[in-house]
């Protein structure tokens, strides 16, 4: 479909935003990756309230905004806030987060020009994130293999060609996809696996990645934010975190049957991963883990707000 934000009408924009702004400022809405509206078991989300629907197609028809973009904007808020149940409050929950993160709840909507075609914003943001990942100064750079970096560079060059209007042959993409699979399979870094999995998953034409981007970006960003906690850990805690990540990798990559079940214990050969993933270890280290998260909060907020700023710049330029 052709997108025309707010159907080109400043009046429509005002009407739609007014119903969101008051509720968001009262913290009566809960950011969510999915559209939530008038549901018995979920508080209303920002985008669900904007269009008063839980249906993607209806959201796009009523707002003229790609649902992929709304999903991405709310995901960035979710990544930066903490939501806890609070039955004694009117909303039934509490949201905690930095002012700059919470402000984004309506900031991205305010930035949209009525009539703008926002269909390329998520592809452009995906391109921005890949370029950031490939920057030699990126915080996880030492955990990105040369093979993976080469593949990422190929994907980036292909995306640039596509965004400039060029069509690429399927054979070109097949070669890159094969190289991405090989790079991921050979990666042994605990911190590098989710980076590699992200690069492998986005080795497709950039517009086709758009609808799935949030689901692909989420575990990678989670990994990135977790890495920001490591300076506040002891050596033993950093080693335990690596074992945790290797355990997650073993679980994610274990062969499964047609029903999706694993017929063996992927952690059997990883006793240290099994130890740190046990409920006993998690309970014993819960307070310390919370202290580490709190210490890293400002660093995480800086990453999230920088991503928000990059997205806002793209929205404003449309």
């Amino acid at each position: 479909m052709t997108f025309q934000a707010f159907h080109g009408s400043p009046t429509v924009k005002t009407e739609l935003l007014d119903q969101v702004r008051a509720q968001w400022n009262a913290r009566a809405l809960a950011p969510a990756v999915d559209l939530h509206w008038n549901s018995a078991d979920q508080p209303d989300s920002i985008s669900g309230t904007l269009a008063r629907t839980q249906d993607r197609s209806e959201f796009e028809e009523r707002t003229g905004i790609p649902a992929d973009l709304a999903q991405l904007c709310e995901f960035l808020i979710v990544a930066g806030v903490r939501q806890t149940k609070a039955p004694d409050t009117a909303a039934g929950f509490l949201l905690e987060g930095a002012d700059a993160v919470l402000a984004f709840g309506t900031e991205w909507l305010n930035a949209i020009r009525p009539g703008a075609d926002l269909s390329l914003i998520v592809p452009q943001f995906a391109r921005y994130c890949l370029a950031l990942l490939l920057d030699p100064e990126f915080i996880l750079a030492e955990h990105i293999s040369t093979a993976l970096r080469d593949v990422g560079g190929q994907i980036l060059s292909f995306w640039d060609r596509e965004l400039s209007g060029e069509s690429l042959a399927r054979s070109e993409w097949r070669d890159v996809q094969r190289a991405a699979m090989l790079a991921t399979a050979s990666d042994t870094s605990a911190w590098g696996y989710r980076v590699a999995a992200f690069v492998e998953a986005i080795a497709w034409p950039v517009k086709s990645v758009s609808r799935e981007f949030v689901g692909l970006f989420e575990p990678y960003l989670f990994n990135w934010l977790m890495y920001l906690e490591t300076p506040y850990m002891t050596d033993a805690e950093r080693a335990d975190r690596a074992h945790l990540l290797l355990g997650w990798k073993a679980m994610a990559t274990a062969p499964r049957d047609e029903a999706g079940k694993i017929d063996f214990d992927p952690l059997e050969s990883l006793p240290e991963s099994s130890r740190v993933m046990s409920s006993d270890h998690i309970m014993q280290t819960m307070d310390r883990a919370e202290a580490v998260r709190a210490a890293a909060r400002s660093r995480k907020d800086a990453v999230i707000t920088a991503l928000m700023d990059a997205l806002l710049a793209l929205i404003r330029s449309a």
Side-chain angles (χ1 to χ4, degrees), residues 135-150:
D135 189 320
E137 299 302 315
F138 181 53
I139 194 167
L140 283 164
E142 65 178 294
H143 300 284
I144 301 174
S145 68
T146 300
L148 189 67
R149 189 175 297 280
D150 290 344

Side-chain angles (χ1 to χ4, degrees), residues 9 14 19 35 52 110 112 124 145 189 221 238 257 286:
S9 169
T14 298
Q19 65 192 15
L35 293 166
R52 295 180 177 269
N110 291 333
I112 297 173
Q124 289 169 342
S145 68
S189 168
L221 179 59
R238 280 189 283 272
D257 61 22
M286 188 175 295

